[in-house]
Amino acid sequence: MIRIDVVTGFPRLVEGPLQESMLKRAREQGLAEIVVHDLRDATSDKHRTIDDTPFGGGAGMVLKPEPVFTCVERLQAERTYDEVIYLSADGEQLTQPLANALSLRRNLLLLCGHYKGIDERIRERLVTREISIGDYVLTGGELPALVVIDAVVRLIPGVLHDGTSALNDSFQDPLLDAPQYTRPAVFRDMAVPDVLLSGNHADIERWREEQRLRRTKQRRPDLLNEQ
C-alpha cells in the first residue's frame, strides 16, 4: 500500500476529488492511504496566518517557513518519506516514467504552494523533489497535487479493474494510444472499423499498432524523435 500525505492551506480544494471514482475505490480497498493536512493547524497565532509579504517588495504573498516546517517535521517524526515533493511551476515535468517510479514508493509527502510560492528555505531544507505538471502557472499546488496522486495511484495493482489497462496507456512507451470504440457498432452513420468486429486478435493488434504510430506521427512527432 502507498501512503500519500498532502500539506495545503486549502484542504477542501483537495478533499473533494478524493471522494470520487478511482481514488475513492483505491482508498476504500486499502490500496492507497491519502491524508490531507491543513497547514493552518500548524500555525501559532490566533489568525492562523500561513503567508506574508515578500522581503524586497513585489506583488503577491509567500508561504511562511514556520508552519510548513512545523507540519512537515511532525509528519517526518511519524514515518520516513521516500520523497517530500513540492508542486512547483519550475520543477521537473511530470511524465509517465516519473509516475511509474513514484508508484513504487511507500510514503510520499506532497507540499502545495499557493499565492506567490513558498519561502526558499523550505525548498532548501525540506524538499527532496520538485514537480511541475506543465509550463503554465496555477493559483496553487492543490490541482497539481491531485494530478500527481491520480497518475500514481492508478498504477497500483488492483486499483484498475483491468490490471493491464495502465500498461497500455499513452506514454507508457513512445507511442500514443490507438482510437477506442464501444457499442453501438454504428452511430449516426459512423461505423466502427471492421477489423475491431472481426474477432481476429492478431489483425486487431496489428491495426492498433498502426493507428498508434499514425496518431503519434500526426500529434506528437517529438515522441518518435526521443526513441
Side-chain angles (χ1 to χ4, degrees):
M1 181 181 73
I2 189 172
R3 175 176 169 122
I4 303 176
D5 289 275
V6 183
V7 175
T8 170
F10 301 87
R12 288 188 294 178
L13 286 176
V14 180
E15 291 169 341
L18 299 179
Q19 309 301 321
E20 303 292 339
S21 187
M22 178 204 65
L23 294 177
K24 177 183 179 182
R25 184 168 64 249
R27 300 172 81 189
E28 289 177 344
Q29 294 178 350
L31 300 173
E33 183 179 7
I34 306 172
V35 184
V36 181
H37 305 271
D38 189 344
L39 184 60
R40 297 178 194 277
D41 291 340
T43 58
S44 57
D45 66 304
K46 66 178 182 179
H47 300 294
R48 307 180 79 206
T49 306
I50 60 173
D51 62 330
D52 207 335
T53 55
F55 279 122
M61 302 291 282
V62 178
L63 288 185
K64 295 165 57 66
E66 302 100 308
V68 176
F69 270 80
T70 297
C71 183
V72 171
E73 288 176 345
R74 282 177 183 170
L75 293 171
Q76 289 177 325
E78 298 173 359
R79 63 186 49 82
T80 299
Y81 288 94
D82 300 295
E83 299 279 7
V84 176
I85 299 171
Y86 172 48
L87 288 310
S88 168
D90 56 4
E92 66 178 302
Q93 189 142 337
L94 178 65
T95 61
Q96 191 60 52
L98 177 53
N100 293 346
L102 293 176
S103 73
L104 301 176
R105 304 293 192 263
R106 291 183 59 85
N107 294 297
L108 299 175
L109 193 157
L110 305 185
L111 174 60
C112 303
H114 214 82
Y115 310 121
K116 190 67 176 175
I118 63 175
D119 188 288
E120 187 69 17
R121 289 165 290 189
I122 300 169
R123 302 171 84 164
E124 293 174 352
R125 188 66 58 88
L126 297 178
V127 173
T128 64
R129 189 165 214 151
E130 300 188 12
I131 293 178
S132 166
I133 64 168
D135 293 339
Y136 46 86
V137 178
L138 298 173
T139 303
E142 288 77 19
L143 295 180
L146 287 168
V147 170
V148 172
I149 292 170
D150 191 280
V152 168
V153 171
R154 68 188 306 276
L155 296 171
I156 298 171
V159 172
L160 299 180
H161 289 305
D162 182 351
T164 64
S165 178
L167 300 178
N168 296 325
D169 288 337
S170 296
F171 304 112
Q172 284 291 8
D173 59 33
L175 299 182
L176 301 179
D177 202 1
Q180 302 293 333
Y181 297 87
T182 189
R183 294 178 179 83
V186 179
F187 175 71
R188 295 187 178 179
D189 298 325
M190 295 180 288
V192 172
D194 290 338
V195 65
L196 297 179
L197 307 176
S198 68
N200 188 318
H201 297 296
D203 286 350
I204 291 172
E205 287 305 311
R206 188 178 304 111
W207 178 86
R208 283 176 172 162
E209 284 302 308
E210 291 171 353
Q211 293 298 313
R212 295 180 71 210
L213 182 59
R214 178 183 178 184
R215 178 165 286 187
T216 305
K217 285 181 177 179
Q218 290 177 338
R219 302 185 179 188
R220 291 294 303 276
D222 57 298
L223 295 175
L224 297 174
N225 296 332
E226 294 175 1
Q227 296 189 66

